[in-house]
């Protein structure tokens, strides 16, 4: 197991100018991280020379670059837009290759108010896009994956359905242990169901409140109308000890990438979350 941090966890400090992305890599090394996951939020990965700077700084800091994570949406009705999105995501694969990573997560679909029936009708088209990107990525040595992310493509049933429909060995799952809560799905059960498909695991924690107990500013609603707010890993309402026990018992021995999205100062939240993840993993 290699524990590290997503740059997304520090995006507020990067966006504000407190840290550069390369400065964030140095900070991660100081916290004992073994890898960094690159998520281009808060900075422009296409800034001339930045990819080379990230690669050299990570190497100097002794961190592997584990994964490159980007957005995508193949749930578009127009064929021209669909083809254009596939080509755009292939371009992101080229960035992953330039970063030297072997893994890349891309989102797959987002729709507001879509029915269950629409999802299953649309699934073959979504899978075809994923398969075409995965085939291109395989040719340059990058494994692609979908994350359980974004409501429409978030439940374990749907991501596993997409993987089965895509049916390509180069297309896997970025398994986010917390995101299942957005669909009111039990994280430990969902992780147990899907860990066998994981190419990388995201660690995340949430506070949960019932839908009839509005906690005020800073919270968002689940699909069933309950309330969630990001927390420091190990301090929220997810049974992270059971989740990590399930991951460890599965034999998974790859990257664990912490994503902090709580209201606390991001360096503090990331530092405490890393310490909790490291300690709990050793105890389960």
């Amino acid at each position: 197991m290699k524990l590290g941090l997503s740059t997304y966890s520090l995006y507020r400090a990067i966006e504000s100018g407190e840290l550069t992305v390369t400065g964030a890599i140095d900070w991660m090394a100081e916290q004992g991280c073994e890898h960094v996951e690159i998520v281009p939020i808060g900075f422009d990965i296409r800034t001339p020379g930045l990819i080379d700077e990230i690669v050299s700084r990570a190497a100097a800091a002794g961190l592997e670059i584990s994964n490159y994570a980007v957005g995508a949406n193949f749930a578009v009705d127009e064929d021209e837009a669909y083809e254009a999105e596939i080509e755009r995501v292939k371009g992101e694969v080229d960035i992953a290759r330039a970063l030297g990573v072997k893994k890349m997560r891309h989102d797959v679909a987002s729709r507001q108010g879509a029915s269950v029936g629409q999802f299953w009708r649309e699934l073959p088209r979504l899978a075809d896009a994923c398969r075409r990107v995965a085939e291109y990525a395989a040719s340059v040595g990058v494994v692609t994956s979908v994350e359980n992310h974004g409501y429409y493509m978030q439940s374990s049933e749907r991501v596993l359905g997409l993987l089965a429909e895509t049916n390509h060995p180069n297309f896997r799952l970025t398994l986010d242990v917390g995101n299942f809560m957005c669909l009111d799905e039990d994280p430990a059960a969902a992780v147990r169901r899907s860990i066998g498909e994981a190419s990388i695991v995201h660690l995340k924690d949430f506070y949960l409140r019932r839908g009839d107990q509005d906690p005020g500013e800073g919270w968002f609603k689940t699909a069933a109308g309950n309330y969630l707010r990001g927390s420091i890993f190990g301090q929220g309402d997810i049974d992270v000890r059971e989740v990590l026990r399930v991951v460890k018992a599965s034999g998974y021995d790859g990257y664990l990438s912490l994503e902090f999205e709580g209201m606390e100062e991001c360096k503090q939240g990331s530092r405490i979350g890393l310490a909790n993840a490291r300690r709990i993993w050793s105890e389960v």
Side-chain angles (χ1 to χ4, degrees):
M1 183 279 292
K2 294 183 178 180
L3 178 63
L5 193 66
S6 166
T7 59
Y8 169 69
S9 301
L10 301 175
Y11 86 88
R12 284 179 289 180
I14 295 171
E15 201 169 54
S16 71
E18 179 186 354
L19 288 174
T20 61
V21 65
T22 50
I25 290 170
D26 289 340
W27 184 88
M28 292 177 198
E30 293 169 2
Q31 311 312 309
C33 290
E34 297 173 271
H35 70 89
V36 54
E37 180 181 13
I38 303 297
V39 182
I41 296 176
F43 64 96
D44 184 357
I45 192 70
R46 291 175 173 79
T47 300
L50 182 56
I51 290 175
D52 289 340
E53 289 180 27
I54 290 171
V55 171
S56 61
R57 188 65 65 91
L63 270 64
E64 298 177 20
I65 304 177
S66 56
N67 193 48
Y68 177 55
V70 298
N73 184 17
F74 302 122
V76 291
D77 298 323
E78 300 79 13
D79 288 345
E80 184 177 349
Y82 175 77
E83 294 294 333
E85 184 69 342
I86 291 172
E87 292 307 309
R88 186 191 68 79
V89 178
K90 288 181 180 179
E92 298 285 8
V93 172
D94 294 334
I95 292 177
R97 183 187 185 189
L99 286 166
V101 302
K102 300 299 183 184
K103 303 177 190 296
M104 184 186 109
R105 181 222 83 178
H106 62 78
D107 287 329
V108 171
S110 177
R111 283 193 186 274
Q112 296 296 319
S115 67
V116 173
Q118 180 174 357
F119 171 80
W120 292 109
R121 287 191 299 271
E122 188 170 38
L123 181 61
R125 182 175 169 93
L126 300 177
D128 183 61
C130 294
R131 190 180 306 111
R132 289 166 61 185
V133 174
E135 288 172 351
Y136 176 74
S139 72
V140 298
V142 175
V143 175
T144 55
S145 62
V146 61
E147 183 175 350
N148 50 310
H149 180 243
Y151 291 93
Y152 191 57
M153 184 62 71
Q154 200 151 7
S155 72
S156 60
E157 181 179 28
R158 292 194 182 186
V159 293
L160 291 174
L162 175 67
L163 288 166
E165 184 74 20
T166 304
N167 191 28
H168 196 287
N170 203 55
F171 186 58
R172 303 288 302 282
L173 173 62
T174 290
L175 175 56
D176 188 300
V177 306
N179 280 350
F180 294 113
M181 288 188 76
C182 300
L183 272 296
D184 303 276
E185 190 172 6
D186 177 71
V191 169
R192 187 177 295 108
R193 185 182 188 191
S194 52
I195 185 61
E197 302 293 340
S199 60
I200 186 170
V201 172
H202 281 176
L203 302 183
K204 186 182 293 175
D205 204 351
F206 284 116
Y207 296 114
L208 172 67
R209 298 293 182 270
R210 284 184 355 206
D212 60 353
Q213 298 176 355
D214 185 351
E217 185 178 350
W219 299 68
F220 65 96
K221 285 193 172 184
T222 70
N226 294 309
Y227 290 94
L228 290 181
R229 176 163 76 81
S231 79
I232 294 172
F233 187 79
Q235 296 187 359
D237 292 316
I238 295 178
D239 187 352
V240 297
R241 182 172 294 275
E242 176 61 12
V243 166
L244 287 181
R245 190 198 65 76
V246 169
V247 173
K248 196 171 189 178
S250 75
Y252 177 84
D253 194 31
Y255 297 113
L256 298 180
S257 184
L258 179 69
E259 283 193 332
F260 169 71
E261 54 185 42
M263 295 178 70
E264 295 86 354
E265 192 277 325
C266 62
K267 296 194 304 300
Q268 178 192 49
S270 297
R271 176 181 57 79
I272 297 171
L274 284 166
N276 283 345
R278 190 175 292 112
R279 174 178 50 81
I280 296 169
W281 179 266
S282 71
E283 292 173 351
V284 295

